[in-house]
Amino acid sequence: MRCGGSSEVKPADAEVKEICQKIKGAAEAHAAKKFECFEAVEYCSQMVAGTNYFVKVKVDNGDSHVHVRVFKSLPHAGAELSVHSMQHEKTSACPLEYF
């Protein structure tokens, strides 16, 4: 992956699943609702001054998903995670793209 460009979409790995568990509360606050579940399905990433993760997340026992953009700062800045934005009312069929 080149700096500034986003990677191809790939299945969520252990790191991305852990990131999603850490930001679940912030995502619920952003959406102003509680999610039945919060399972990372797939993701792509973009290297900037840190890393943007674009993650498709399953949020109920049906086919409801959200797309979450999470920023992870560089290690010298504490490797902090923050929810940048979200796209709601997605399904498993919706393509995950830069937003």
Side-chain angles (χ1 to χ4, degrees):
M1 171 178 45
R2 61 185 170 81
C3 187
S6 54
S7 69
E8 74 275 358
V9 175
K10 49 195 164 232
D13 58 19
E15 178 186 14
V16 170
K17 290 177 182 181
E18 181 180 349
I19 287 170
C20 283
Q21 290 311 305
K22 288 180 179 179
I23 58 98
K24 181 182 180 194
E28 289 175 332
H30 191 278
K33 68 179 191 177
K34 295 282 186 187
F35 298 118
E36 289 178 36
C37 64
F38 203 73
E39 293 177 24
V41 176
E42 60 185 13
Y43 78 102
C44 62
S45 58
Q46 175 192 37
M47 292 187 70
V48 289
T51 305
N52 284 319
Y53 292 92
F54 302 89
V55 188
K56 181 184 289 186
V57 181
K58 182 176 175 71
V59 294
D60 72 8
N61 292 322
D63 194 34
S64 294
H65 291 70
V66 295
H67 293 179
V68 183
R69 181 175 174 176
V70 179
F71 177 72
K72 183 177 182 181
S73 63
L74 293 170
H76 77 276
E80 297 291 324
L81 298 170
S82 60
V83 174
H84 179 274
S85 54
M86 292 177 68
Q87 295 179 334
H88 303 273
E89 299 186 23
K90 299 290 186 176
T91 68
S92 59
C94 294
L96 183 60
E97 301 170 323
Y98 177 94
F99 62 95

